[in-house]
Amino acid sequence: MTSRLRTTPFSILDRSRTRQGRERSQALRDTVRFAQQAEALGYHRFWVSEHHSVPGVAGSAPTVLASAVAAATVRIRVGTGGVMLPNHRPLVVAEQFGVLESLFPGRIDMGLGRSVGFTDGIRRALGTEKDAAQDFGAQLDELLGWFTGEQGAYPQVHAHPAEGLRLPVFVLATGAGAELAARAGLSLVIGDLRGRDEMLRAIDRYRAGFRPSAWSSAPYVVVSGNVAVAGTAEEARRLLLPEAWAMAYSRTHGAFPPLAPASEIEAREMTEKERGFYERGLRGQLYGTEDEVAAALDELIERSDADEVLITTSTYDREALLDSYRRLARVMGLSTASTEAEPCAAGSDLDDAYAALAEHAHVLGIRGEHHLR
């Protein structure tokens, strides 16, 4: 383990991926349980995502899910990766994060993206348009203004309890996202690892154009991507197959499906087009044994000069997924608790999470555990 790996924070983005043959609601409960395990392993942040009308993703309300995660954990930072700003009024987003930061002071991250709905129907249902991402810069300025109290578009309107609060703000880079993050003086989250050279050029542009702000005095780069670790390189590669097939299916059928078992995918007869997307989905990903992944991550951090690494891996087998994150934590020297985190079984309930919620409610002076259920 090099000094770079030992000193670089590692974090997790969980998309609440649904799994073939299982209820969507279970994916959300698994996310909360996974956050507890990530905390035990010593990861720095735990983020959740926003997707609408996607069969393979249960996470549609990230600030609501982040609240459940924060209440069920104690130390780990909690945030969004991210709230898609074009889908929301900036005032409402400010109010939601103001509530989160007020309930869990010093632990909340506001990660923001500029993507819009996947289809015309979803965009209409959200009340947005395909070109709404072009207004992201103005929306971002308004959102930050609600926190500083400097927004001028709506005189005598205030975002309570957000106004006056400060919390880390991150921009998820797609297209012009890196330049917008630099102009606003915000932290940058960028991937994916398959387009390494393009990613590095965007990071260079971000650092060159960064303007210090009230939110960040210096550039801060979070590199994100899939990383799988197992006893052998082939076992690690198999962890990536369910997500690669889901992506290939979405590109050829127009719907992003629940994750399927790796064995089912390996036995599947794919069309030439499906096979092409599937193979491209596996290229450039980081996977292997602990030593192999450590070497690859060390090179990635050195080339990008990343301040942090955000791991986004999903797979069908949750126990194998947790083992991968446990092995990665051991590689990074994150925590001596790496042997204590229990497998994230698909049938596990939220008794431990509810207990944590009840304990947090007691700290806040809230009475009546039934309110948490």
Side-chain angles (χ1 to χ4, degrees), residues 86-87 116-117 120 122-130 132-133:
N87 296 336
V116 294
D120 288 338
I122 296 172
R123 290 189 288 271
R124 285 195 299 269
L126 291 169
T128 189
E129 302 293 339
K130 190 172 184 178

Side-chain angles (χ1 to χ4, degrees), residues 31-270:
T31 289
V32 177
R33 179 63 177 143
F34 185 27
Q36 294 175 315
Q37 294 161 335
E39 180 172 69
L41 290 170
Y43 284 91
H44 183 50
R45 309 179 200 273
F46 190 93
W47 284 2
V48 295
S49 63
E50 175 184 340
H51 296 273
H52 299 280
S53 191
V54 179
V57 181
S60 56
T63 55
V64 176
L65 185 54
S67 181
V69 168
T73 54
V74 178
R75 298 175 303 277
I76 196 168
R77 296 196 63 87
V78 176
T80 55
V83 165
M84 296 300 138
L85 197 50
N87 296 336
H88 309 279
R89 297 295 299 178
L91 169 62
V92 175
V93 175
E95 291 172 336
Q96 290 173 345
F97 278 96
V99 169
L100 283 170
E101 178 64 18
S102 298
L103 290 174
F104 310 101
R107 292 181 58 207
I108 300 300
D109 303 322
M110 185 165 64
L112 306 166
R114 58 196 296 268
S115 297
V116 294
F118 186 61
T119 66
D120 288 338
I122 296 172
R123 290 189 288 271
R124 285 195 299 269
L126 291 169
T128 189
E129 302 293 339
K130 190 172 184 178
D131 60 356
Q134 297 176 9
D135 298 327
F136 180 77
Q139 290 178 311
L140 184 61
D141 289 341
E142 181 186 331
L143 174 60
L144 299 179
W146 289 115
F147 282 90
T148 62
E150 297 172 346
Q151 71 79 28
Y154 305 95
Q156 299 181 334
V157 180
H158 300 271
H160 299 306
E163 189 172 305
L165 296 179
R166 289 291 186 275
L167 65 163
V169 184
F170 300 79
V171 172
L172 279 63
T174 56
E179 287 80 3
L180 290 170
R183 179 183 63 79
L186 303 176
S187 300
L188 175 71
V189 182
I190 188 165
D192 63 42
L193 303 181
R194 289 170 295 184
R196 193 76 54 87
D197 291 339
E198 183 178 350
M199 180 188 74
L200 294 175
R201 287 192 293 270
I203 291 174
D204 288 341
R205 292 195 302 272
Y206 164 73
R207 290 198 174 104
F210 184 86
R211 302 177 185 175
S213 70
W215 306 94
S216 183
S217 60
Y220 191 89
V221 175
V222 182
V223 173
S224 67
N226 293 335
V227 180
V229 194
T232 68
E234 181 55 31
E235 290 173 343
R237 184 179 183 275
R238 292 187 83 243
L239 293 178
L240 301 174
L241 302 188
E243 191 75 40
W245 167 246
M247 183 62 69
Y249 187 92
S250 71
R251 294 292 180 86
T252 52
H253 294 78
F256 197 77
L259 296 174
S263 57
E264 179 180 310
I265 295 167
E266 290 173 319
R268 183 181 295 272
E269 291 187 8
M270 301 182 191

Side-chain angles (χ1 to χ4, degrees), residues 227-229 286-298 328 331:
V227 180
V229 194
L286 295 186
Y287 66 87
T289 64
E290 293 177 25
D291 288 343
E292 290 168 340
V293 168
L297 284 171
D298 187 63
L328 182 60
V331 166

Side-chain angles (χ1 to χ4, degrees), residues 2-22:
T2 68
S3 59
R4 277 188 296 269
L5 296 181
R6 190 167 54 247
T7 58
T8 301
F10 276 74
S11 301
I12 294 174
L13 168 64
D14 186 66
R15 294 188 177 88
S16 300
R17 292 288 275 112
T18 59
R19 283 159 176 80
Q20 187 173 288
R22 299 174 188 170

